[in-house]
Amino acid sequence: MRGVIKEIFAPHSHDAAAGLDNALESSAAGIRAVKISLVVLGVTAIAQIVIVILSGSIALAADTIHNFADALTAVPLWIAFALSTKAATRRYTYGFGRVEDLAGLFVVAMIALSAIIAGYEAVQRLINPHPVEHVGWVALAGLLGFIGNEWVALYRIRVGRRIGSAALVADGLHARTDGITSLAVLGGAGGIALGFPLADPIFGLVITVAILTVLRTAARDVFRRLMDGVDPEFIDTAETALAARPGVRSVRSVRMRWIGHCLHADAELDIDPTLSLAEAHHIAHGAEHDLVHVVPKLATAMIHAYPADDDNPAELFPQSDLTATTLQTRRRWLRRVLKLQ
């Protein structure tokens, strides 16, 4: 009996091979998205370079270089996806998925920098207006920049949401800010062509506000990941699935956290105390199986099973101990249970 109770008190963790395989596939999908989007942005930049050569516009050349430099911000994300496929080590026991979140911080910083640059340039043009040359070429370059960046934005955001990568979504939003900037160039050129030279800086200020809105969304998502925030619906889904498992008396707690683009869960269950060790193990294994299949992007689940006390559960497991996970506390619980036998 002592061995059975001890095993029940020990957390069950099973190799979620399917979840880990999905994580590797997601990393590969992220790398593929970065590669394809870099190719598209490269083609867009080359087209803009051709326009620069044909027009001879120095200002347009500077804008093209800026767009090309922004495209390279996807490289840290590429590195992060590659590192996330590495196996965990004795030092980094949860693997290297957090590198993806750090890359997301870098992307957020680049979006903020884009907003600062756009706002500064718009204010400078309001204070010190200067004529824009080669209006037709500038408009064409702006149109190409918008089409290329917006396609990349839609692609990265779609893939990022599918694989659960907040960093890739943020990078998609970053591409969108570049597209919005190019759209401002197009709008400003149109205003100048219609005889309204202040259209360029005014569009610049409007675009700055738009970039700040994008920045807010990207920063919220990335920082939420860093703070281990998850969608409450995931918790509700997990609690419902665990409570429906035969042999489970109640669900004490469910906690989840993102590491990169993978979810990891930790659940505590009260189970029927009359069950055998094999039956308790079967419940824990089945609970993990249920969670991996009902919660999207869940890679692993650790199930802690405790024998329910039908007579006085509040006295046996006081509320202050419900979330305790230290070995010392579990031993104290075990001695208390054995004393009641």
Side-chain angles (χ1 to χ4, degrees), residues 123-311:
V123 171
Q124 285 297 313
R125 291 183 182 182
L126 276 175
I127 298 174
N128 302 305
H130 59 273
V132 178
E133 301 176 348
H134 311 289
V135 175
W137 290 112
V138 170
L140 179 59
L143 179 61
L144 288 176
F146 171 73
I147 293 174
N149 280 287
E150 183 60 21
W151 187 92
V152 167
L154 291 172
Y155 179 56
R156 286 178 179 173
I157 291 172
R158 185 178 73 249
V159 175
R161 287 175 177 169
R162 177 167 59 83
I163 68 175
S165 173
L168 186 56
V169 171
D171 205 32
L173 293 174
H174 181 217
R176 176 158 290 165
T177 63
D178 290 339
I180 292 174
T181 302
S182 297
L183 192 62
V185 172
L186 178 62
I192 293 172
L194 294 175
F196 184 52
L198 287 179
D200 188 32
I202 290 175
F203 264 98
L205 290 175
V206 172
I207 292 307
T208 300
V209 175
I211 294 176
L212 289 174
T213 302
V214 172
L215 173 63
R216 175 184 177 276
T217 301
R220 180 199 63 195
D221 293 345
V222 170
F223 280 100
R224 185 173 290 171
R225 287 293 178 90
L226 289 172
M227 293 298 294
D228 291 333
V230 298
D231 189 338
E233 290 185 2
F234 289 167
I235 304 298
D236 295 338
T237 300
E239 288 177 340
T240 300
L242 292 172
R245 190 76 190 172
V248 175
R249 294 288 183 85
S250 63
V251 179
R252 291 190 182 186
S253 67
V254 175
R255 287 173 289 184
M256 295 183 187
R257 69 191 310 183
W258 287 97
I259 299 181
H261 52 270
C262 296
L263 269 174
H264 299 264
D266 192 323
E268 295 181 337
L269 308 177
D270 282 328
I271 65 173
D272 188 341
T274 64
L275 296 177
S276 66
L277 172 61
E279 291 170 329
H281 177 85
H282 177 73
I283 289 176
H285 183 81
E288 183 204 20
H289 179 273
D290 291 345
L291 287 185
V292 170
H293 283 79
V294 301
V295 179
K297 314 299 184 302
L298 184 65
T300 61
M302 180 171 287
I303 309 299
H304 305 258
Y306 303 101
D309 183 73
D310 296 330
D311 296 330

